[in-house]
């Protein structure tokens, strides 16, 4: 049986049940708006109206809808990926200075000016300090960040965020009611595409994301648990980790569609 398709723990099963109950009871129009942002990027159509709607959202309205980690992750992963694609399609030279690209406040959500770093590290990762390997939570988070940040850091988000580089995961569209399954699927896809297991060397070559954000994966032993869970290495294997060099070449337009029902992905470029 494929490990990533089923629950790996009682906690995972409980989370999935919670997501299902939430989905039955609630619609997510603002998450749907974030999905439209990604679709417009994929279709290379004008997103100015969508961007304006995101900027003009009421903070109270947004907080009312994003009342779970599932909804927060779906909304802000879509926002991050959609804006990266639109910004770099229009101004690819911004990627020449990646530090400025990620740290500049160039996105407005519910009246709040945000950087890509604010969205990734402050909100989606739950106020993690960027250069702390995922070990330290920022004690100086502002009120907006505290309102919208996820409660429990989820390492799988690193396999869903696309910053415009060649080594990044493919872009999918995430739904608040399906995101737990979707993140499992994208994690399986990305890790099996980007990892190389050499049994004879007792080594596994993996993405540098595991090194940079190791705290989000519960340390290096936790990294191996992820590799076992998503079928990169056998259950009884304990190989040495080797981190691949990240290819920062600008590469836009890498999309994938997640088929939750069939538990598979199809990619497009």
């Amino acid at each position: 049986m494929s490990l990533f398709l089923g629950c790996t723990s009682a906690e995972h099963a409980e989370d999935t049940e919670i997501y299902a109950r939430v989905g039955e009871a609630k619609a997510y129009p603002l998450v749907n708006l974030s999905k439209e942002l990604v679709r417009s990027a994929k279709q290379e159509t004008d997103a100015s109206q969508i961007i304006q709607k995101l900027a003009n959202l009421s903070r109270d309205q947004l907080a009312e809808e994003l009342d779970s980690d599932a909804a927060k992750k779906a909304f802000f992963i879509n926002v991050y990926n959609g804006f990266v694609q639109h910004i770099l399609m229009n101004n690819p030279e911004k990627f020449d200075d990646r530090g400025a690209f990620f740290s500049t406040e160039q996105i407005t959500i519910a009246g709040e000016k945000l950087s890509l770093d604010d969205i990734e590290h402050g909100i989606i990762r739950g106020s993690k300090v960027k250069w702390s390997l995922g070990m330290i939570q920022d004690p100086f988070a502002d009120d907006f960040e505290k309102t919208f940040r996820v409660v429990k850091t989820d390492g799988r988000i690193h396999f869903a965020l696309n910053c415009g580089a060649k080594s990044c995961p493919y872009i999918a569209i995430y739904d608040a009611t399906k995101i737990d399954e979707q993140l499992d699927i994208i994690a399986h896809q990305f890790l099996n595409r980007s990892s190389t297991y050499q049994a004879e060397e007792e080594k596994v070559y993996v993405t540098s994301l595991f090194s940079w954000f190791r705290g989000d994966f519960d340390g290096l032993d936790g990294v191996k648990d992820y590799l076992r869970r998503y079928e990169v290495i056998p259950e009884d294997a304990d190989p040495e980790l080797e981190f691949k060099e990240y290819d920062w070449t600008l590469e836009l337009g890498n999309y994938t569609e997640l088929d939750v029902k069939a538990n598979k992905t199809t990619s497009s470029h």
Side-chain angles (χ1 to χ4, degrees):
M1 178 179 176
S2 176
L3 294 178
F4 86 98
L5 300 182
C7 298
T8 58
S9 66
E11 180 180 348
H12 188 60
E14 182 180 354
D15 286 346
T16 303
E17 182 182 351
I18 290 170
Y19 292 142
R21 291 201 304 269
V22 169
E24 291 172 0
K26 185 172 182 176
Y28 290 91
L30 304 185
V31 174
N32 290 339
L33 183 61
S34 74
K35 291 159 67 174
E36 287 303 313
L37 181 70
V38 181
R39 289 192 185 98
S40 68
K42 182 177 181 180
Q43 296 164 2
E44 299 186 13
T45 57
D46 179 61
S48 56
Q49 290 187 356
I50 299 171
I51 291 170
Q52 194 62 49
K53 287 179 181 178
L54 289 168
N56 292 340
L57 289 175
S58 158
R59 187 178 297 192
D60 289 341
Q61 178 189 16
L62 187 61
E64 182 179 355
E65 178 168 325
L66 304 187
D67 61 353
S68 67
D69 275 6
K72 291 172 183 175
K73 285 185 284 191
F75 179 84
F76 282 105
I77 289 172
N78 290 335
V79 163
Y80 184 99
N81 287 341
F83 270 104
V84 165
Q85 294 295 303
H86 276 294
I87 292 169
L88 293 177
M89 281 192 295
N90 293 322
N91 301 283
E93 70 280 358
K94 286 192 173 187
F95 207 62
D96 294 342
D97 185 347
R98 293 193 303 272
F101 175 65
F102 294 121
S103 63
T104 298
E105 294 179 349
Q106 54 188 326
I107 297 164
T108 304
I109 303 295
E112 186 79 7
K113 292 285 287 184
L114 300 169
S115 68
L116 290 164
D117 278 347
D118 291 333
I119 294 172
E120 178 179 3
H121 309 295
I123 295 175
I124 301 175
R125 297 182 62 223
S127 296
K128 291 292 183 72
V129 175
K130 182 176 182 178
W131 301 116
S132 70
L133 302 178
M135 305 294 187
I136 301 172
Q137 187 176 47
D138 185 359
F140 303 110
D142 61 25
D143 289 341
F144 187 91
E145 187 172 306
K146 288 177 181 177
T147 298
F148 294 105
R149 69 188 178 190
V150 301
V151 175
K152 183 179 179 182
T153 303
D154 185 343
R156 297 174 299 173
I157 62 94
H158 295 293
F159 315 133
L161 293 173
N162 181 296
C163 71
K166 187 173 183 178
S167 286
C168 286
Y170 294 152
I171 302 162
I173 296 175
Y174 294 91
D175 189 284
T177 64
K178 301 175 183 177
I179 192 167
D180 192 53
E181 295 168 282
Q182 290 174 323
L183 288 176
D184 269 343
I185 294 170
I186 202 70
H188 186 273
Q189 181 206 71
F190 176 71
L191 292 179
N192 281 271
R193 178 171 60 85
S194 63
S195 306
T196 304
Y197 175 50
Q198 299 287 359
E200 65 281 4
E201 299 179 21
E202 295 187 357
K203 290 184 179 181
V204 59
Y205 298 82
V206 296
T207 174
S208 296
L209 295 170
F210 275 136
S211 178
W212 300 338
F213 305 114
R214 62 189 67 181
D216 293 5
F217 303 103
D218 297 322
L220 297 182
D221 287 338
V223 168
K224 294 180 185 179
D225 289 339
Y226 270 77
L227 296 175
R228 296 184 188 102
R229 176 178 175 184
Y230 295 109
E231 303 175 316
V232 176
I233 62 175
E235 277 292 307
D236 59 352
D238 187 23
E240 179 184 352
L241 296 171
E242 294 282 348
F243 300 107
K244 295 182 177 180
E245 185 175 354
Y246 210 74
D247 188 341
W248 287 102
T249 303
L250 176 63
E251 186 170 284
L252 303 177
N254 288 325
Y255 293 89
T256 189
E257 294 185 9
L258 304 182
D259 187 345
V260 171
K261 187 175 181 180
N263 286 297
K264 65 183 181 180
T265 58
T266 56
S267 61
S268 61
H269 183 278

